[in-house]
């Protein structure tokens, strides 16, 4: 089976009230752990690559590894560029065989975002590739913003129809209070997402797939594992799983997860090296990382995203 786009998987996800996991990849063990989990759960999956991952592993290695994962699992897999920041990087991924790209114009003005997104859509659609755009800015916990500044960062539902119509994007990432990384909320505060914005966006864009970035749940078992075996990740906090589940039942069809993969793999490897101080064969500790990651992704697919048994 060749790479697929996200079109069919999003149509089914929207109708079925679940979401597809979009997992960031940059090496063989991560790709194997994710795709083996998806195979066990009989779920489609999106593998996504950031500019940093592309630089680290090289485009050719990643596309060949994903090709191998498809041959190995026979799953519908979409290969997606995460946070493409220019037309050129999107073009390079489209020309280089990706089936989906994100053009992240969220740092630009509304009109500039439309212009660059439209340019990518025209190039991508002519080559059978789908495009994700973004409206609104994801906050970071370090951004000590006041309430009105925070409001300005959330997606404005009044803009979404015009953005989608004028650009022709296939999916839209929105900002409702999630953020990238392992420190999403201040310690002691109650995690909150703006479900009212998601609901309003859903009303204005019927049957249209919405994307949530910054959606790691930062499982405390892995935070503890990292901390117990020599790491230091104080106050790591993610999005509660039940909130992600709720979003998946609404218009959200793609949920982006990277930090949880890093955390889980690092925790397992730290534990392995602590328990086996004599081990120095990378296969020994990478295997533990891959096994733990596979189990975590299976849990997410089954209990959080809800995409098990949807092939
Ligand atoms: O959204 C960002 C992803 O977590 C990718 O992170 O740029 O460090 O690869 P990265
Ligand atoms: P996390 O940092 O929450 O895993 O978000 C990843 C992401 O949004 C990738 O685009
Ligand atoms: Zn992101």
């Amino acid at each position: 089976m060749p790479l697929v786009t996200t079109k069919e998987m999003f149509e089914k996800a929207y109708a079925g009230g679940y979401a597809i996991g979009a997992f960031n990849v940059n090496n063989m063990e991560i790709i194997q752990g994710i795709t083996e989990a998806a195979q066990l759960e009989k779920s489609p999956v999106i593998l996504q690559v950031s500019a940093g991952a592309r630089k680290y592993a090289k485009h050719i290695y990643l596309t060949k590894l994903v090709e191998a994962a498809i041959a190995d699992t026979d799953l519908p897999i979409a290969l997606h560029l995460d946070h493409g920041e220019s037309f050129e990087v999107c073009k390079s991924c489209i020309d280089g065989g990706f089936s989906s790209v994100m053009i992240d114009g969220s740092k630009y003005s509304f009109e500039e975002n439309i212009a660059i997104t439209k340019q990518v859509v025209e190039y991508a659609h002519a080559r059978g590739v789908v495009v994700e755009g973004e409206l609104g800015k994801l906050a970071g916990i370090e951004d000590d913003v006041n309430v009105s500044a925070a409001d300005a960062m959330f997606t404005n539902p009044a803009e979404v129809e015009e953005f989608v119509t004028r650009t022709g994007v296939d999916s839209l990432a929105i900002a409702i209070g999630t953020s990238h990384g392992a420190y999403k909320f201040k310690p002691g505060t109650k995690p909150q997402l703006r479900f009212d914005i998601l609901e309003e966006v859903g009303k204005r864009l019927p049957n249209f797939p919405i994307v949530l970035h910054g959606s790691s749940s930062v499982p405390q078992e892995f935070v503890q594992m990292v901390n117990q075996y020599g790491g230091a990740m104080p106050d790591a906090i993610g999005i509660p799983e039940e909130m992600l589940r709720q979003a998946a039942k609404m218009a959200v069809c793609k949920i982006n997860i990277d930090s949880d993969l890093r955390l889980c793999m690092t925790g397992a490897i730290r534990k392995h090296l602590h328990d086996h101080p004599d081990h120095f064969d990378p296969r020994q500790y990478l295997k533990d990382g891959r096994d733990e990651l596979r189990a975590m992704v299976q849990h997410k697919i089954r209990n959080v995203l809800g995409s098990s048994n949807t092939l």
Side-chain angles (χ1 to χ4, degrees):
M1 182 189 296
L3 276 176
V4 298
T5 72
T6 51
K7 193 174 173 1
E8 190 184 329
M9 50 177 102
F10 285 169
E11 277 167 13
K12 285 174 74 177
Y14 197 102
Y18 61 88
I20 309 294
F23 299 97
N24 285 70
V25 300
N26 57 57
N27 72 13
M28 183 186 78
E29 285 76 12
I30 296 175
I31 291 174
Q32 289 177 335
I34 296 163
T35 54
E36 287 166 12
Q39 187 182 33
L40 288 165
E41 288 302 316
K42 301 182 175 56
S43 167
V45 71
I46 300 167
L47 300 178
Q48 57 186 14
V49 172
S50 68
R54 220 168 146 240
K55 194 168 162 204
Y56 171 79
K58 291 191 185 170
H59 185 99
I60 182 85
Y61 285 85
L62 293 171
T63 52
K64 294 292 174 191
L65 283 168
V66 172
E67 202 180 299
I70 293 171
D72 187 41
T73 61
D74 204 27
L75 280 178
I77 295 179
L79 179 56
H80 173 78
L81 168 67
D82 191 26
H83 293 285
E85 64 166 19
S86 64
F87 173 77
E88 287 69 31
V89 72
C90 292
K91 177 179 182 304
S92 165
C93 287
I94 294 164
D95 295 345
F98 282 34
S99 59
S100 174
V101 295
M102 172 188 193
I103 173 70
D104 183 355
S106 60
K107 63 174 183 278
Y108 298 119
S109 71
F110 186 64
E111 285 301 326
E112 287 166 336
N113 191 355
I114 287 181
I116 190 170
T117 304
K118 191 167 183 303
Q119 189 190 8
V120 172
V121 168
E122 279 166 8
Y123 191 82
H125 282 183
R127 290 155 185 84
V129 171
V130 291
V131 180
E132 173 185 327
E134 177 162 338
L135 256 188
K137 293 185 183 64
L138 265 65
I141 192 171
E142 69 281 4
D143 303 332
D144 210 0
V145 286
N146 59 36
V147 175
S148 58
D151 267 351
M153 297 174 83
F154 293 129
T155 303
N156 177 0
E159 291 181 344
V160 296
E161 293 142 290
E162 184 181 349
F163 186 83
V164 167
T165 312
R166 285 178 59 194
T167 59
V169 279
D170 303 279
S171 61
L172 182 68
I174 63 169
I176 60 167
T178 63
S179 62
H180 292 112
Y183 303 88
K184 299 189 190 297
F185 301 100
K186 291 203 166 112
T189 59
K190 197 165 167 281
Q192 273 179 331
L193 295 185
R194 291 290 302 273
F195 282 103
D196 57 323
I197 294 179
L198 174 56
E199 197 176 347
E200 185 60 27
V201 168
K203 278 188 197 145
R204 288 170 182 257
L205 295 174
N207 290 314
F208 190 83
I210 299 302
V211 178
L212 269 197
H213 282 248
S215 294
S216 278
S217 56
V218 189
Q220 287 305 300
E221 61 187 290
F222 296 121
V223 175
Q224 278 161 19
M225 206 187 274
V226 166
N227 290 336
Q228 185 180 346
Y229 296 105
M233 297 189 64
D235 304 328
I237 302 173
I239 313 292
E241 286 187 345
E242 58 277 12
M243 289 192 184
L244 297 168
R245 189 75 206 93
Q246 188 181 338
K249 285 183 182 155
M250 297 168 74
V252 171
C253 294
K254 172 174 180 271
I255 290 191
N256 285 13
I257 297 167
D258 187 1
S259 297
D260 284 352
L261 304 171
R262 300 177 181 193
L263 186 62
C264 155
M265 194 152 200
T266 301
I269 291 172
R270 277 191 180 279
K271 180 175 186 321
H272 183 102
L273 293 174
H274 173 272
D275 291 349
H276 306 279
D278 57 322
H279 281 181
F280 68 102
D281 180 342
R283 289 173 295 186
Q284 294 170 312
Y285 54 82
L286 289 176
K287 179 180 183 306
D288 276 10
R290 182 177 60 191
D291 288 350
E292 199 71 72
L293 191 145
R294 183 194 309 110
M296 186 199 68
V297 172
Q298 254 198 284
H299 161 75
K300 293 219 176 258
I301 290 175
R302 189 182 306 179
N303 304 314
V304 183
L305 304 160
S307 65
S308 301
N309 302 310
T310 62
L311 290 180

